[in-house]
Structure formats: structure tokens, C-alpha cells
Amino acid sequence: MAQLRKECDMAGTLYLCATPIGNLDDITFRVLETLRSVDVIAAEDTRNSIKLLNRFEIKTPMTSYHEFNKFEKGRQLIEQLLSGKNVAVITDAGMPGISDPGEELVKMAYEAGVPVTVLPGACACVTALTLSGLPTRRFCFEAFLPADKKERKDVLEELKTETRTVVLYEAPHRLRKTLAELSEVLGDRRLTICRELTKKHEEAFQTTLAEALVYYEDKEPKGEYVLVLEGADKEELRRAGQESFAELSLEEHMERYLSAGMSKKDAMKAVAADRNVSKREIYALLLEQE
């Protein structure tokens, strides 16, 4: 422990640096200064990031840090940080750690006692949300839907009852499939489709899932997409819940809560809330059936 504390005391800092999501002028002065001053830059794709560094005449050495080497390279970066070097992490676009392997490096840094700080900036999720015209106070971010069929199905089922605004990323070659799946599972919802954010051909338009499917029948999807989807209607969910509970007998409904360990009093209260009636009415009905 004493040795670890000694190493941490002289450790460098891990800087999570936001990079532009399209327009290179969106980078901050603070990020530029940090990229010039650190000992090494860990980049998701050095071939992509070199364009950014060349634009701003940054000569700091780069090393690749991506999804397929995040554990091995992550350990190497932690060793450098513990030796006193400062490391900046950048992704291809936006905030490292958001739908990005930088998340793992942050975890490793905390476990090693390495200082971590964030230099905020552009983020496609927040940019699209604020541009969408949909409610922004409460939202959930799903990034890219899972590729695994079972996991993808589970996430889509969860979204059926998600009342917050939902933000999704999607690649152009998968857009039609994703729109079709969302429409099939969630029904028709309001949707804002954002494309090529902050770039020359930026586009954002409000539509619905049904209309979007028709639109992209003839139009070839191009660029990177962010889908901002209306949350489920609370009143419709409440009505649907009441209808499903109505299919249960009162005894079956009570048994659901009693078998979960609830007291009879609390179970009656829960059943009354589910059926939108008073607890007294539930109590009276149960007495009649005894």
C-alpha cells in the first residue's frame, strides 16, 4: 500500500479530451493547449486524429487505443501514467468514454490511483437532443443498439415502456433495419433524425417512425445518424397496465404481491393502485369472496 501510494503521488494525469464531431473549429482552446503539453496522446484511430493534429500544428506523439487493444494498451498507458507521464485520450469524434473504449481506461486509472480529469466539448448525443425539438429535461442514451440478437431484442422491449426521450446512434448501412425494428416494437412515435451534425451537409428533420420508413425506401442513407425518439406516453402505459391487470382475478392479482413478500395490507394498496380504485373497495371485494 505504501509503495502504491508513493507511485500515485508522482503519477501523471489522464486527460479526457473532447474533439469535434464534424466542424474542426468546435475544438476548445483548453483541449488544444492540453494536446500540445501532454507526453502522449492515446487516439482511437491515429490515421483520423492526425488530420486534427496537423490542422492545429500539434506534434505530440500518438499511440493507438481502441476497442480491440483497450486492455493490453490500457495497462501500458497506466504504467506510463504511474511513471509520471501525462496522457490525453481522444476519440474519433466527441467525448472519449461515451460509447467508446475510453470508459475502460478511466476505470483502470481510478483503480491505480491515477488522477483523471475531463476537458468538455462537443458530444453528438447532447447536440442532437438539443436540436430535436423533443423534451430534453429527462432522456436516456442507448448509443448503438446491440449487435447480438437476443440483447438487441431485450433493449427494444425495455424501450417500449421508456417514457424519457431516447437518443440512439446509427450507421447509414443499418438505418433502415433499425427504423423498421423500432417501428415494429414501439409502434409509431415522433422522431427527429439528425445527420452529419456540425458538418457542411448537416440535416435535422422531425418526422415519425412510419414516415421515416417510407422516406428511406427511395432515399439512400448517407453519413452518421443520431435518432432522437419520443418516449412512451405515460397515460397509454397506465391504461394498458390496467387492462392487463383486469384480466387477472382479484385473488391472482393479490397473490402476485403476496408471493413477492408483501404484507396483505401493502398488497391491497398495490392492487388498488393498479386498478385505479380505492383500497377500501379492494378490501370489501375480498371480504365478499371469503
Side-chain angles (χ1 to χ4, degrees):
M1 179 64 73
Q3 179 62 28
L4 177 61
R5 186 173 299 279
K6 182 179 179 182
E7 289 176 341
C8 292
D9 286 344
M10 63 183 209
T13 298
L14 178 65
Y15 295 90
L16 305 176
C17 298
T19 52
I21 59 176
N23 192 319
L24 294 184
D25 289 337
D26 288 337
I27 200 162
T28 70
F29 290 120
R30 186 176 171 217
V31 167
L32 290 176
E33 182 181 352
T34 299
L35 294 180
R36 291 189 180 102
S37 64
V38 294
D39 297 289
V40 64
I41 298 171
E44 183 179 11
D45 186 339
T46 55
R47 295 166 301 179
N48 181 70
S49 295
I50 194 64
K51 301 172 187 175
L52 176 71
L53 300 192
N54 286 343
R55 164 72 182 274
F56 295 102
E57 299 181 350
I58 296 170
K59 307 297 183 182
T60 306
M62 271 196 300
T63 187
S64 64
Y65 175 76
H66 48 72
E67 183 65 30
F68 303 105
N69 72 354
K70 62 183 179 182
F71 296 111
E72 179 184 355
K73 180 56 70 71
R75 286 190 288 270
Q76 295 174 18
L77 291 170
I78 294 299
E79 288 177 5
Q80 293 185 53
L81 285 156
L82 288 172
S83 72
K85 291 186 177 180
N86 293 314
V87 176
V89 181
I90 58 175
T91 184
D92 284 348
M95 284 297 307
I98 301 296
S99 188
D100 171 81
E103 174 186 5
E104 187 63 35
L105 187 58
V106 173
K107 178 182 176 183
M108 295 170 72
Y110 277 118
E111 289 173 349
V114 169
V116 181
T117 190
V118 173
L119 281 64
C123 177
C125 168
V126 176
T127 303
L129 179 66
T130 55
L131 187 61
S132 70
L134 291 172
T136 60
R137 188 178 72 84
R138 299 175 69 246
F139 70 95
C140 73
F141 174 58
E142 283 293 339
F144 292 94
L145 289 173
D148 179 81
K149 288 184 178 180
K150 183 180 183 306
E151 190 179 353
R152 189 181 184 93
K153 182 180 178 182
D154 289 344
V155 170
L156 288 170
E157 282 298 317
E158 289 176 7
L159 293 180
K160 284 175 68 172
T161 56
E162 176 56 70
T163 58
R164 295 171 295 179
T165 301
V166 179
V167 183
L168 299 163
Y169 290 164
E170 195 48 277
H173 64 280
R174 292 193 300 263
L175 181 68
R176 287 172 174 148
K177 177 186 175 183
T178 296
L179 289 172
E181 288 177 319
L182 289 169
S183 179
E184 180 182 356
V185 177
L186 308 183
D188 202 16
R189 298 261 189 100
R190 287 195 300 157
L191 170 74
T192 300
I193 297 179
C194 301
R195 186 180 72 88
E196 295 291 88
L197 288 170
T198 77
K199 299 178 183 177
K200 182 179 180 180
H201 299 293
E202 175 183 281
E203 181 181 30
F205 62 95
Q206 293 183 325
T207 181
T208 67
L209 283 170
E211 291 171 352
L213 281 170
V214 174
Y215 179 77
Y216 282 107
E217 281 181 1
D218 301 320
K219 187 175 180 64
E220 187 68 25
K222 294 180 180 179
E224 298 302 315
Y225 286 83
V226 184
L227 309 179
V228 187
L229 188 65
E230 178 183 40
D233 184 273
K234 290 182 180 180
E235 185 60 27
E236 288 184 8
L237 289 176
R238 187 185 67 79
R239 287 197 297 267
Q242 288 177 358
E243 289 171 5
S244 64
F245 287 129
E247 296 172 2
L248 298 173
S249 69
L250 193 57
E251 291 85 352
E252 290 172 334
H253 201 163
M254 282 288 294
E255 184 55 34
R256 282 195 175 189
Y257 290 113
L258 293 172
S259 62
M262 273 192 182
S263 68
K264 188 173 182 179
K265 179 181 178 181
D266 288 339
M268 283 193 294
K269 185 177 180 181
V271 169
D274 291 341
R275 295 180 177 236
N276 198 29
V277 298
S278 69
K279 189 174 72 172
R280 180 178 296 178
E281 187 174 342
I282 296 295
Y283 179 68
L285 289 169
L286 289 172
L287 280 179
E288 288 177 9
Q289 295 174 11
E290 286 182 356

